């Protein structure tokens, strides 16, 4: 009996169900995003404050669309996966004020790639609400996995003062990241989805990666 309990407790939800499908199904897209010139430059300390601030600006509009969709949806599965601890709008607003000043909302507008991404979030929220799960997985889990490292790199490479400008990467309400992510994946696998719905969510997750890559590529070319 004790051995059975131990095996259940140590079971990795990422090795089964929709969690495994998403991790495996987006592996190539994830690799492409990680190897974009902006991200590799960021980790080499070659990124500028301007490009970093532009990235945060793009993410602000994306998360605004996402979190408004989560608030408005009546889909129980999307609601289940929407955790207050993951919400990013307040943190992004804090960072935007740091980089652009108190009047930042009148200065920053979504770029072409950002608007394309935002439009897709709004479209799926209205037509295919379960696809929002792909957006939760791709953005929130990615932010949480790499958040502390990205925030630390930004501090060092951009010489930010006392952690200012990195609130987006700080998940203050989550004390145990590994436990939180494991629990999130477990709940993901518990969703009562058909095989077709799961495949559609994986397809949408790859599309989300494409949108994020477009934003990163756009920043490299400084479209603003």
């Amino acid at each position: 009996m004790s051995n059975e309990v131990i095996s259940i407790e140590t079971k990795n939800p990422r090795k089964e169900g929709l969690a495994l499908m998403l991790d495996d199904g987006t592996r190539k897209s994830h690799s492409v995003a990680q190897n974009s010139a902006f991200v590799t430059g960021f980790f080499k300390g070659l990124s500028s404050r301007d490009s970093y601030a532009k990235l945060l600006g793009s993410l602000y509009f994306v998360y605004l669309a996402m979190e408004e969709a989560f608030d408005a949806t009546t889909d129980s599965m999307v609601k289940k996966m929407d955790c207050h601890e993951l919400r990013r709008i307040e943190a992004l607003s804090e960072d935007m004020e740091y980089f652009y000043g108190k009047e930042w909302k009148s200065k920053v507008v979504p770029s072409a790639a950002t608007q394309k991404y935002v439009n897709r979030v709004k479209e799926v929220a209205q037509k295919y609400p379960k696809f929002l799960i792909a957006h939760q997985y791709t953005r929130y889990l990615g932010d949480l996995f790499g958040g502390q490292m990205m925030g630390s790199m930004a501090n060092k490479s951009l010489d930010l003062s006392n952690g200012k400008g990195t609130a987006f990467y700080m998940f203050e309400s989550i004390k145990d990241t590994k436990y939180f992510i494991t629990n999130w994946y477990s709940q993901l696998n518990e969703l009562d989805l058909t095989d077709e719905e799961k495949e559609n969510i994986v397809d949408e997750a790859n599309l989300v990666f494409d949108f994020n890559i477009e934003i990163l590529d756009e920043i490299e070319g400084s479209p603003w």
Side-chain angles (χ1 to χ4, degrees), residues 26-44 209 212-213 216-217 220:
T26 61
R27 201 173 302 281
K28 182 178 179 180
S29 296
H30 191 199
S31 177
V32 173
Q34 284 185 318
N35 289 299
S36 71
F38 176 85
V39 173
T40 54
F42 185 87
F43 281 107
K44 289 178 183 176
F209 270 108
N212 280 283
I213 291 166
L216 295 172
D217 288 343
E220 289 171 31

Side-chain angles (χ1 to χ4, degrees), residues 1-183:
M1 185 66 161
S2 60
N3 288 338
E4 185 176 272
V5 172
I6 291 172
S7 67
I8 291 173
E9 288 179 348
T10 57
K11 195 173 185 180
N12 185 351
R14 296 182 66 184
K15 293 185 177 181
E16 63 182 9
L18 182 54
L20 177 61
M21 289 176 66
L22 279 164
D23 281 359
D24 279 355
T26 61
R27 201 173 302 281
K28 182 178 179 180
S29 296
H30 191 199
S31 177
V32 173
Q34 284 185 318
N35 289 299
S36 71
F38 176 85
V39 173
T40 54
F42 185 87
F43 281 107
K44 289 178 183 176
L46 302 176
S47 181
S48 67
R49 287 172 68 100
D50 183 55
S51 60
Y52 175 69
K54 286 176 179 177
L55 173 62
L56 293 178
S58 289
L59 292 177
Y60 169 81
F61 291 107
V62 169
Y63 278 96
L64 181 63
M66 284 172 55
E67 294 179 5
E68 285 180 346
F70 302 153
D71 287 338
T73 190
T74 57
D75 189 286
S76 61
M77 297 188 198
V78 176
K79 289 288 192 187
K80 181 177 181 178
M81 302 313 300
D82 176 30
C83 304
H84 174 74
E85 297 95 326
L86 294 173
R87 292 287 186 114
R88 296 288 86 198
I89 279 298
E90 286 186 14
L92 281 164
S93 297
E94 181 181 328
D95 289 340
M96 294 300 286
E97 183 171 334
Y98 172 75
F99 285 107
Y100 294 103
K102 291 187 177 181
E103 302 301 319
W104 65 269
K105 286 189 178 181
S106 65
K107 300 176 183 177
V108 182
V109 296
S111 67
T114 303
Q115 191 60 58
K116 183 178 176 182
Y117 191 166
V118 166
N119 291 345
R120 179 59 181 175
V121 173
K122 292 180 177 180
E123 179 185 15
V124 299
Q126 291 206 349
K127 298 180 180 178
Y128 322 103
K130 284 183 175 58
F131 287 15
L132 289 171
I133 295 167
H135 291 259
Q136 292 169 320
Y137 164 83
T138 308
R139 279 270 28 133
Y140 283 136
L141 268 288
D143 299 332
L144 190 53
F145 268 121
Q148 289 182 332
M149 182 168 56
M150 292 288 281
S152 176
M153 286 301 300
N155 267 318
K156 291 178 182 177
S157 63
L158 305 179
D159 194 26
L160 301 176
S161 58
N162 300 319
K164 295 289 187 180
T166 61
F168 171 69
Y169 293 111
M170 301 297 110
F171 292 81
E172 302 293 348
S173 299
I174 298 176
K175 304 305 179 186
D176 188 331
T177 301
K178 183 178 179 180
Y179 174 81
F180 186 95
I181 291 173
T182 299
N183 187 57

Side-chain angles (χ1 to χ4, degrees), residues 169-202:
Y169 293 111
M170 301 297 110
F171 292 81
E172 302 293 348
S173 299
I174 298 176
K175 304 305 179 186
D176 188 331
T177 301
K178 183 178 179 180
Y179 174 81
F180 186 95
I181 291 173
T182 299
N183 187 57
W184 196 93
Y185 272 116
S186 295
Q187 292 188 68
L188 179 70
N189 287 339
E190 291 171 3
L191 300 179
D192 187 18
L193 295 160
T194 65
D195 289 342
E196 182 180 6
E197 287 172 329
K198 291 176 183 177
E199 289 170 4
N200 287 337
I201 288 171
V202 173

